[in-house]
């Protein structure tokens, strides 16, 4: 009969040897849910945020303004409901409610993608709205003055600037989703927490297996945050650039140096 480990570190090594494949598969499912859910949620939030900022113009007529107000009321209700309820409860309602009310037998993974996406969309809607409103109103007025409608103004003038402002929040939502997908174990989604709990129940070594799980979550979130910081730096553009075509004979000063907030 094989000798069982007798210390914390030997248990960690033993459990890694026994369940590394399961844990990596669970981590892959967690990353897939977080990445896809965050992407779809950003698309939803972008659409909702743009619609929430549609201006009401008295010249458009009472019917159109009434429709705009009705659309905003529906979207505001969506945002408040999904920001005001826990994701674990939303997962239970969506997964079991779909069968009870509509006789839809959706898979646990599909329900997981749906819940993460619509939950992220609710938070991103407010982020997008705030990002849009942070852009100087004069730019929107100038776009309207040259004949752009609301959606053209958003596409060509406001959103390119607002996107950089909301990038940190997009990254924050991705990191939150990597962690919060653990609640989907209640509908039997085989993500990292689910497989960790299953592995811990075999030898009743909960501390050791969840220590490993904690390290895996940290590696995923830390890596995601570093990649997102790199993307933000790329969006900022180079620190040295030429304002016009450079002629060393005419302008010996060379490149124009931009100093960032930290003085670098």
């Amino acid at each position: 009969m094989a000798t069982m480990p007798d210390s914390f570190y030997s248990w960690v090594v033993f459990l890694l040897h026994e369940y590394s494949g399961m844990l990596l598969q669970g981590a892959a499912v967690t990353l897939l849910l977080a990445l896809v859910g965050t992407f779809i949620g950003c698309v939803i939030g972008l659409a909702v945020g743009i619609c929430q900022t549609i201006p009401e113009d008295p010249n458009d007529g009472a019917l159109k303004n009434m429709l705009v107000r009705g659309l905003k009321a529906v979207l505001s209700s969506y945002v408040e409901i999904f920001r005001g309820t826990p994701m674990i409860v939303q997962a239970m309602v969506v997964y079991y409610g779909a069968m009870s009310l509509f006789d839809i037998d959706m898979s646990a993974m599909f329900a997981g993608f749906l819940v993460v996406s619509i939950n992220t969309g609710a938070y991103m809607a407010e982020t997008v709205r705030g990002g849009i409103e942070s852009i100087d109103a004069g730019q929107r007025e100038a776009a309207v003055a040259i004949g752009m409608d609301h959606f053209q103004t958003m596409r060509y003038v406001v959103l390119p600037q607002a996107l950089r402002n909301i990038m940190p929040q997009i990254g924050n939502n991705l990191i939150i989703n990597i962690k919060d997908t653990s609640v989907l174990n209640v509908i039997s989604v085989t993500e990292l927490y689910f497989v960790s709990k299953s592995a811990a129940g075999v030898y009743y070594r909960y501390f050791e297996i969840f220590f490993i799980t904690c390290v895996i979550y940290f590696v995923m979130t830390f890596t995601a945050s570093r990649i997102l910081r790199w993307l933000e730096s790329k969006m900022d553009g180079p620190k040295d650039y030429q304002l016009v075509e450079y002629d060393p004979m005419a302008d010996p000063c060379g490149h124009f140096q931009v100093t960032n907030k930290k003085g670098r």
Side-chain angles (χ1 to χ4, degrees), residues 34-227:
L35 288 170
V36 174
T38 302
F39 175 76
I40 297 176
C42 286
V43 173
I44 295 172
L46 188 65
V48 173
I50 291 174
C51 291
Q52 285 181 320
T53 57
I54 296 175
E56 295 183 31
D57 189 345
N59 297 325
D60 289 337
L63 178 60
K64 182 177 179 180
N65 286 330
M66 187 180 299
L67 291 174
V68 169
R69 285 194 294 269
L71 175 63
K72 289 182 178 181
V74 171
L75 295 178
S76 296
S77 299
Y78 155 68
V79 170
E80 294 301 329
I81 290 171
F82 283 94
R83 286 201 311 163
T85 55
M87 188 186 291
I88 190 171
V89 177
Q90 295 168 13
M92 299 287 281
V93 170
V94 169
Y95 184 63
Y96 295 109
M99 173 58 74
S100 300
L101 297 178
F102 306 107
D103 199 28
I104 300 175
D105 186 14
M106 65 175 66
S107 67
M109 278 296 292
F110 180 83
F113 283 123
L114 182 61
V115 169
V116 175
S117 298
I118 58 180
N119 183 275
T120 304
Y123 284 94
M124 282 305 304
E126 288 298 285
T127 300
V128 170
R129 185 181 62 80
I132 290 172
E133 292 179 351
S134 70
I135 305 302
D136 186 75
Q139 298 192 35
R140 294 194 292 272
E141 293 169 1
V144 173
I146 63 174
M148 288 187 178
D149 60 25
H150 178 70
F151 294 100
Q152 289 174 325
T153 302
M154 291 295 108
R155 178 181 177 185
Y156 296 110
V157 179
V158 176
L159 286 181
Q161 301 174 73
L163 181 61
R164 175 59 187 88
N165 294 339
I166 66 176
M167 269 299 294
Q169 187 58 36
I170 294 175
N172 191 45
N173 280 327
L174 174 60
I175 292 171
I176 289 173
N177 284 338
I178 290 175
K179 297 180 295 181
D180 283 359
T181 50
S182 59
V183 304
L184 299 177
N185 77 93
V186 298
I187 57 173
S188 301
V189 175
T190 55
E191 40 70 52
L192 180 57
Y193 178 83
F194 183 91
V195 299
S196 299
K197 187 172 65 173
S198 301
V202 176
Y203 295 101
Y204 297 100
R205 307 302 302 191
Y206 288 90
F207 174 52
E208 290 83 356
I209 198 70
F210 280 106
F211 173 80
I212 298 170
T213 304
C214 181
V215 171
I216 295 173
Y217 272 118
F218 176 77
V219 169
M220 290 192 295
T221 55
F222 182 80
T223 303
S225 67
R226 294 300 97 187
I227 292 174

